[in-house]
Amino acid sequence: MCGIVGYVGQKQVGSEVVIEGLRALEYRGYDSAGIAFLRSDKTLCLEKAVGRVQNLEGQLEQIDDTKATAAIGHTRWATHGAPTVGNAHPHYNADRSIAVTHNGIIENYLELKQELEAAGYEFVSETDTEVIPHLIEFHTNRSKTFISGLEKAISRLRGAYALAIVTTKTPDTIYAARLSSPLVLGIAKSAAYIASDPMAITSHTKDVVYLNDYELAAVHKDGSYDIRDYKRAQTVNRKAERLEHNHASGELGNYEHFMLKEMHEIPDTIRAATQGRIRPDSNTVKLGGLESVADQLRFIDRIVIVACGTSYYAGLVGEYLIEEIAGIPVEVQLASEFKYRNEPFSRGTALLAISQSGETADTIAALKKVENYGVLRLGVVNAVGSTIARMTDSGVYCHAGPEQAVASTKAFVAQVSVLTLIALHLSGGNSPLYKPILHELEHLPAKAESILAQAKDIEKLAHKYKDARDFLFIGRNYGYPCALEGALKLKEISYIHAEAYAAGEMKHGPLAMIDENFPTLAIATDSPLLEKTISNIQEIKARKGLVLAIATEGNKDIKRLVSDAFYIPGSLEQTQPILIALVEMLFAYYVAIANGHNVDRPRNLAKSVTVE
Ligand code: AGP
């Protein structure tokens, strides 16, 4: 989704730093980009372009003087108004002395716009953001200092925002403010940075200061900064912290797409998520992140998992795992629904948020909802230092590294791996499944490697099914969330209509859709329920439906029954989801490629969904 980068420093490298930062954020999905920088003559130069950051760079090349000691930039994912140059950020006031980039949505923008129009301000875009520079002008003109007027203006905004502001009035300082949208300052010796994602600035500094809600920061060209909490009207003293982890954007290497690269990283992802946490010598699981809440965890009698999209489906796998292995009732809710539900919530319930980015607005809102309930808030998060990672009481990192393709692949695998460890941890070793699962987790990377080695076979299957207009995914028990995730993967990158059903539900409606043009991907791997799934496949076959099955190696019978089968190595039912998901991802990838789609940046989607 939208991305923000800002620079202020002694060196005149603002434009380059911002463009480089915007490039690092490209993977998040966007439709236009823009930059505002302060020239040496203290005038503000604004450039915007529809499409790629590359287009913006092309425009900058036509400009004589792009040297800047202060600059802000933005990649926009349209919410209010079409993706046009006029709607692209930065937005500015009439005399172009103030420029603003904004992530989020200003909910009261219409009210503010009317008020400003009545005061004589004119608007040139369809965006909600444009009220901000005018509002800043209005208040700073009536205040003693720029910062005090800025504070008044920002205090009037409702909704969600991360802002970066540059002005000719204070050329040595740029500003940042946030409410419900991530923003971080990067601090260096003679420069300071602003970014919506640390990935945009870690090539310059690893010393960062995360802003909290209702904080306004002034960052200066000598690398110093002042933060004020404008809700409580007090100064905030917060030291920079060092990012120890590698936020590097990662290169494509020899891969054609990030999605392919990230699927090939899956064996290592499983290792990274489990290594050091499994002690095979003593047959124990050690989750450092949960140690500080060990006492509270003992009293938990229910877990509510909240997440969106793929993370939600990982949560559904987690539900089966935690209930079966640890015997604790689990409910999985879509974060977007959870936040508006009025349900009883006891103190014995823990809320577990799952998120790759750690910045998903709905999941953050779900965590906020229970803020004053006195309940334990846990996180399974990939992005270290992200908002969700910081707002939960405790949690377990996925350690999947940066995931750049919009379609989640290795992050899903890491989430399921971590949820498996959490289930084992919560069982206290009292489940008969404890040792077999621990043991199997060690073998999973090699099994994932063997699937990747057969990617060509999956590609052939994808070519056979690439023209389908609809697809059904079915599975039972652990196979059911896998079916849901497989259908999501196919629809998001290939735009083929795909639906998932619990196989047992076929007779209750979906069977009516089946004919020779409506293929089914059936998860028919080894499980105590396999025979029942086979019966469901028979029912589909009887209606002339084509069936592509994912089965377990050695099951020759299934080959005779279905149109096509892909075999995965034998594994426990509880650990199969990781292998099944890998096959589904590869299948969706090759179908999308065969249809000529941009797999890394599918239409209409953004990597990190920071608005409701
Ligand atoms: C999955 O392929 C999607 N990109 C999407 O469903 C994603 O999982 C969802 O938006 C949640 O994101 P998060 O894990 O970063 O919170």
Side-chain angles (χ1 to χ4, degrees):
M1 239 166 199
C2 303
I4 286 178
V5 190
Y7 166 88
V8 63
Q10 316 274 11
K11 290 191 188 153
Q12 295 179 317
V13 292
S15 311
E16 293 89 327
V17 166
V18 164
I19 293 291
E20 185 194 326
L22 293 182
R23 274 185 172 281
L25 298 182
E26 277 192 298
Y27 76 98
R28 295 164 70 99
Y30 68 102
D31 43 51
S32 51
I35 184 170
F37 56 91
L38 266 180
R39 285 198 169 113
S40 38
D41 64 1
K42 304 285 182 274
T43 57
L44 206 52
C45 181
L46 279 133
E47 279 300 323
K48 306 179 191 194
V50 170
R52 310 285 303 272
V53 172
Q54 205 181 340
N55 303 349
L56 179 66
E57 265 186 288
Q59 282 176 216
L60 288 179
E61 278 162 21
Q62 311 301 315
I63 296 175
D64 283 348
D65 180 12
T66 56
K67 289 196 185 100
T69 49
I72 58 170
H74 192 256
T75 46
R76 174 175 187 252
W77 188 83
T79 57
H80 293 60
T84 60
V85 169
N87 289 333
H89 298 209
H91 288 280
Y92 45 86
N93 62 335
D95 69 6
R96 296 187 175 221
S97 59
I98 301 165
V100 175
T101 57
H102 164 220
N103 288 357
I105 290 174
I106 303 301
E107 287 170 358
N108 59 335
Y109 87 100
L110 276 177
E111 171 194 322
L112 294 168
K113 191 173 175 179
Q114 279 163 12
E115 193 183 305
L116 288 161
E117 277 173 338
Y121 287 88
E122 283 173 19
F123 287 77
V124 293
S125 80
E126 302 160 275
T127 66
D128 53 337
T129 304
E130 201 188 348
V131 296
I132 306 173
H134 295 308
L135 196 66
I136 295 173
E137 181 190 301
F138 180 87
H139 284 287
T140 49
N141 281 350
R142 287 159 182 77
S143 304
K144 272 193 190 145
T145 58
F146 184 83
I147 186 96
S148 58
L150 181 60
E151 189 173 319
K152 276 185 204 136
I154 289 169
S155 309
R156 299 206 49 208
L157 304 176
R158 285 205 309 272
Y161 51 82
L163 303 174
I165 299 148
V166 63
T167 174
T168 55
K169 296 169 201 273
T170 62
D172 297 338
T173 302
I174 58 173
Y175 303 89
R178 74 155 266 175
L179 177 63
S180 301
S181 193
L183 208 56
V184 66
L185 311 180
I187 306 303
K189 248 192 172 163
S190 49
Y193 307 81
I194 297 171
S196 52
D197 179 335
M199 192 185 264
I201 53 172
T202 42
S203 57
H204 303 288
T205 180
K206 290 212 164 18
D207 294 321
V208 298
V209 180
Y210 290 98
L211 290 187
N212 292 332
D213 282 351
Y214 302 107
E215 286 181 353
L216 167 63
V219 293
H220 313 294
K221 73 171 187 184
D222 60 358
S224 63
Y225 58 95
D226 306 294
I227 305 176
R228 210 174 132 73
D229 179 329
Y230 50 87
K231 195 175 181 195
R232 295 183 183 82
Q234 62 192 29
T235 302
V236 175
N237 292 311
R238 186 172 307 133
K239 285 203 178 115
E241 54 189 276
R242 186 124 185 109
L243 285 176
E244 296 301 346
H245 52 287
N246 183 13
H247 259 296
S249 66
E251 298 296 322
L252 256 185
N254 292 329
Y255 293 99
E256 229 175 305
H257 303 102
F258 278 106
M259 185 175 171
L260 188 62
K261 174 179 181 254
E262 286 159 9
M263 288 189 290
H264 278 269
E265 285 170 359
I266 280 174
D268 279 340
T269 303
I270 306 167
R271 290 184 190 106
T274 54
Q275 260 171 15
R277 291 169 169 170
I278 299 178
R279 304 273 166 88
D281 43 336
S282 55
N283 278 317
T284 51
V285 172
K286 187 174 163 52
L287 295 176
L290 297 185
E291 273 172 16
S292 61
V293 293
D295 289 342
Q296 283 158 280
L297 280 175
R298 264 191 279 279
F299 296 102
I300 291 306
D301 55 18
R302 176 178 172 244
I303 296 173
V304 172
I305 295 178
V306 286
C308 304
T310 286
S311 298
Y312 170 77
Y313 296 139
L316 287 178
V317 179
E319 177 181 20
Y320 283 91
L321 288 166
I322 296 170
E323 291 195 338
E324 184 175 19
I325 302 168
I328 300 172
V330 179
E331 203 182 310
V332 193
Q333 296 199 29
L334 290 164
S336 54
E337 287 296 313
F338 174 81
K339 63 182 178 182
Y340 295 118
R341 272 178 72 166
N342 288 321
E343 60 176 292
F345 213 86
S346 77
R347 286 209 175 186
T349 303
L351 189 78
L352 170 61
I354 306 176
S355 177
Q356 186 286 125
S357 62
E359 304 296 354
T360 301
D362 288 325
T363 312
I364 292 172
L367 283 164
K368 276 193 183 158
K369 175 182 160 175
V370 301
E371 211 159 35
N372 301 318
Y373 289 14
V375 300
L376 184 62
R377 299 188 301 172
L378 304 170
V380 169
V381 175
N382 189 36
V384 178
S386 57
T387 303
I388 295 175
R390 286 179 298 117
M391 71 192 287
T392 42
D393 302 308
S394 189
V396 185
Y397 276 122
C398 293
H399 295 321
E403 189 184 58
Q404 302 207 43
V406 163
S408 185
T409 55
K410 62 175 180 169
F412 174 83
V413 166
Q415 289 165 342
V416 172
S417 305
V418 165
L419 287 162
T420 311
L421 295 180
I422 290 178
L424 295 171
H425 177 82
L426 293 175
S427 78
N430 293 325
S431 165
L433 287 164
Y434 191 91
K435 282 187 192 167
I437 292 178
L438 268 190
H439 187 71
E440 180 60 10
L441 281 173
E442 289 189 286
H443 291 92
L444 274 186
K447 292 182 182 179
E449 269 154 13
S450 88
I451 292 174
L452 287 163
Q454 297 170 72
K456 281 269 166 249
D457 296 337
I458 300 177
E459 187 176 4
K460 275 189 206 141
L461 290 170
H463 278 264
K464 178 170 173 186
Y465 288 92
K466 75 176 176 32
D467 296 321
R469 288 191 58 194
D470 309 278
F471 234 104
L472 193 68
F473 283 68
I474 58 167
R476 282 175 180 265
N477 209 24
Y478 288 91
Y480 173 47
C482 295
L484 288 160
E485 170 57 13
L488 174 64
K489 213 86 307 173
L490 187 65
K491 61 189 148 196
E492 74 179 323
I493 57 169
S494 76
Y495 319 144
I496 291 173
H497 162 236
E499 280 195 63
Y501 270 92
E505 276 292 293
M506 287 301 291
K507 283 196 271 301
H508 301 286
L511 204 50
M513 300 188 291
I514 297 299
D515 63 15
E516 59 273 32
N517 299 316
F518 203 128
T520 299
L521 188 149
I523 292 154
T525 45
D526 283 357
S527 110
L529 299 179
L530 178 57
E531 281 183 6
K532 291 186 189 298
T533 306
I534 298 282
S535 303
N536 300 127
I537 293 174
Q538 295 279 19
E539 287 155 10
I540 293 168
K541 294 284 296 175
R543 272 95 191 158
K544 298 199 175 72
L546 290 179
V547 178
L548 159 60
I550 299 179
T552 305
E553 271 168 15
N555 185 347
K556 294 208 176 91
D557 294 343
I558 202 142
K559 194 97 193 212
R560 285 190 281 273
L561 176 67
V562 297
S563 322
D564 296 283
F566 182 84
Y567 289 104
I568 62 167
S571 186
L572 295 171
E573 197 190 4
Q574 295 75 12
T575 46
Q576 279 171 11
I578 287 175
L579 304 177
I580 296 167
L582 177 54
V583 178
E584 292 173 329
M585 291 165 194
L586 286 161
F587 180 70
Y589 171 82
Y590 287 117
V591 170
I593 295 289
N595 286 319
H597 298 311
N598 182 343
V599 282
D600 284 342
R601 295 188 192 116
R603 69 185 184 200
N604 306 338
L605 298 181
K607 182 65 183 163
S608 183
V609 185
T610 50
V611 293
E612 250 192 80

